Amino acid sequence: KHRGWQLFSCRYSDLVISPQALYGGSGNHIYEPASILSFELVLIKLVNANSPIEVYVDYPTITIGGPFVPCK
């Protein structure tokens, strides 16, 4: 749990291919970043499903050759 801005990063190679044919599961299962048309972020809340939650995704970025390094 946190408040405020925080950088979340994951490796492209760690992303999973959708098992649904219409959402990438029918592809060649080869990672091709130049072919990305869109992506989806999913938020799963595991506790107290009736309490509100807010999430703002500010700056989704895909980098080449290394991780994103924000300017300070």
Side-chain angles (χ1 to χ4, degrees):
K1 178 179 174 180
H2 74 276
R3 291 183 183 269
W5 188 91
Q6 183 171 343
L7 174 66
F8 291 92
S9 180
C10 65
R11 291 185 201 147
Y12 179 68
S13 59
D14 290 341
L15 299 177
V16 293
I17 296 170
S18 173
Q20 298 181 9
L22 294 176
Y23 299 101
S26 61
N28 60 14
H29 300 280
I30 297 172
Y31 288 100
E32 299 173 300
S35 298
I36 295 173
L37 299 176
S38 66
F39 64 94
E40 184 174 301
L41 300 172
V42 177
L43 174 67
I44 299 173
K45 186 176 180 187
L46 298 176
V47 295
N48 199 359
N50 294 324
S51 66
I53 187 169
E54 287 185 351
V55 174
Y56 298 93
V57 177
D58 202 11
Y59 194 67
T61 305
I62 295 174
T63 63
I64 297 172
F68 176 72
V69 179
C71 297
K72 294 211 177 208

